[in-house]
Amino acid sequence: MKLAKIEWIKFWKRKVSWILLALIPLLVFVSAKYILQQNQLFSPDTPQYAVVGNFPVLGLAEMLMTAFNLFIIVIALLMVTEEYRTGALRMVFIRSHSFRKIMFAKFLVLLILLLLYLAIYFLTCYGIGYFLFSNPEVYPQFYHQRPFTFIEGFFYNLKFYGVAFLTLVAISSVIFFIGILSHTMTSAFGISVGYLLLCFAYPNFIQLFQPILREETIFKIYFTSIPMIQWEGITLLLAETPHYKGWIVLILMSHILLFQLLILFVTRKKDIFI
């Protein structure tokens, strides 16, 4: 916990940290302006029509798979890969801390930061939403027959952000592993972005095989991609009758467990990273 506290202090001493924090209200505002334009294409009785109650979800959907995943890359590279280049990580080793403890502290701080950013995004969505969107007594929700009240929508939004955080933990595990293996910022950034691009590409490519593969098989392959779970899977998971719930949870947990085990494996000897 002392290491985590030190990592927390170190992170907020960087200008980039405050820039990322300042970007959150801007991202919410950009999403709000875009969704206001999209409202003209939908009627108020459709789930795509944004109101105060559902804007936190609609406003997060695209930013979750783009901005927040990029946040993870930036934070992970700052906390791990940059310290290879600057020699800061070697200075920590001199104090006889194990490499595993150092990496665990860094990963813990990364998760706390993501939780903080999500909480700020959530509250900012409600704040901006009250000024820009209508606030009807009830509104339709994705994959729910009965309309939601504001309070029901609030708890639905909390669940959505909870699952969204779980997807970020899964992505963080992958990116953190890449960051540990990469000793240069260029290679770490290139591999991380390449991983995200691959996750965007193959789910769309697999749909070309719909004539020869079962629909269920297509969807299961589609939802092996964490960004696709962020894009569509969360709403299916929280539907009145959940779709692919077990599969989506399995994919998220397997990503987290697999890459955490890989991190433990590659950090078994600290001298290979000095």
Side-chain angles (χ1 to χ4, degrees):
M1 295 308 297
K2 288 182 179 179
L3 284 172
K5 183 179 179 180
I6 292 170
E7 291 296 331
W8 178 264
I9 295 171
K10 283 168 56 181
F11 180 79
W12 291 110
K13 286 184 178 180
R14 297 182 172 100
K15 292 182 180 179
V16 176
S17 313
W18 296 99
I19 293 173
L20 293 179
L21 186 65
L23 279 175
I24 293 177
L26 179 61
L27 292 175
V28 175
F29 182 75
V30 170
S31 295
K33 297 297 288 184
Y34 172 76
I35 291 174
L36 274 174
Q37 294 179 349
Q38 291 296 107
N39 270 1
Q40 300 175 12
L41 305 176
F42 303 107
S43 63
D45 59 348
T46 59
Q48 293 88 346
Y49 188 86
V51 296
V52 174
N54 65 5
F55 174 61
V57 166
L58 295 177
L60 178 66
E62 292 187 10
M63 293 301 175
L64 182 62
M65 62 186 295
T66 53
F68 275 90
N69 287 342
L70 289 176
F71 277 16
I72 291 173
I73 293 176
V74 172
I75 296 171
L77 298 194
L78 284 176
M79 296 178 71
V80 181
T81 313
E82 187 199 31
E83 294 194 5
Y84 288 134
R85 184 175 57 83
T86 61
L89 198 57
R90 188 179 297 111
M91 295 300 296
V92 182
F93 286 145
I94 294 175
R95 298 179 180 271
S96 301
H97 295 299
S98 71
F99 193 77
R100 284 180 176 176
K101 286 185 178 180
I102 295 169
M103 291 299 107
F104 177 79
K106 290 178 180 292
F107 190 76
L108 179 61
V109 170
L110 172 58
L111 297 189
I112 294 173
L113 286 167
L114 292 174
L115 195 60
L116 174 65
Y117 288 158
L118 274 177
I120 294 174
Y121 197 97
F122 181 79
L123 296 174
T124 307
C125 279
Y126 273 109
I128 292 180
Y130 269 110
F131 288 100
L132 297 181
F133 299 101
S134 61
N135 189 19
E137 292 185 1
V138 295
Y139 61 89
Q141 185 59 269
F142 288 103
Y143 304 111
H144 286 264
Q145 294 183 354
R146 185 176 59 84
F148 276 27
T149 63
F150 179 85
I151 297 299
E152 290 172 332
F154 177 81
F155 286 107
Y156 175 91
N157 295 343
L158 285 178
K159 293 177 184 177
F160 190 96
Y161 274 68
V163 180
F165 176 69
L166 189 61
T167 67
L168 294 177
V169 175
I171 289 287
S172 298
S173 299
V174 179
I175 302 301
F176 211 79
F177 175 69
I178 294 171
I180 290 175
L181 292 183
S182 305
H183 287 208
T184 66
M185 294 287 285
T186 303
S187 62
F189 184 80
I191 296 172
S192 298
V193 172
Y195 163 74
L196 289 180
L197 291 177
L198 178 64
C199 288
F200 288 126
Y202 80 80
N204 294 298
F205 175 76
I206 197 63
Q207 294 186 57
L208 298 176
F209 297 91
Q210 284 183 342
I212 60 175
L213 293 176
R214 292 189 307 166
E215 183 179 359
E216 183 178 358
T217 303
I218 293 289
F219 272 101
K220 282 189 173 182
I221 297 175
Y222 186 85
F223 287 126
T224 57
S225 168
I226 306 297
M228 294 303 104
I229 292 176
Q230 293 174 329
W231 175 241
E232 295 181 280
I234 301 179
T235 52
L236 290 173
L237 189 66
L238 298 179
E240 188 173 357
T241 303
H243 302 280
Y244 303 103
K245 179 179 179 180
W247 180 255
I248 291 173
V249 172
L250 174 64
I251 293 300
L252 293 178
M253 296 310 298
S254 62
H255 272 76
I256 295 171
L257 292 175
L258 173 62
F259 283 94
Q260 287 301 317
L261 287 174
L262 289 173
I263 290 171
L264 287 174
F265 177 75
V266 300
T267 56
R268 70 193 186 281
K269 290 184 179 180
K270 69 180 181 182
D271 55 341
I272 64 173
F273 295 97
I274 298 177

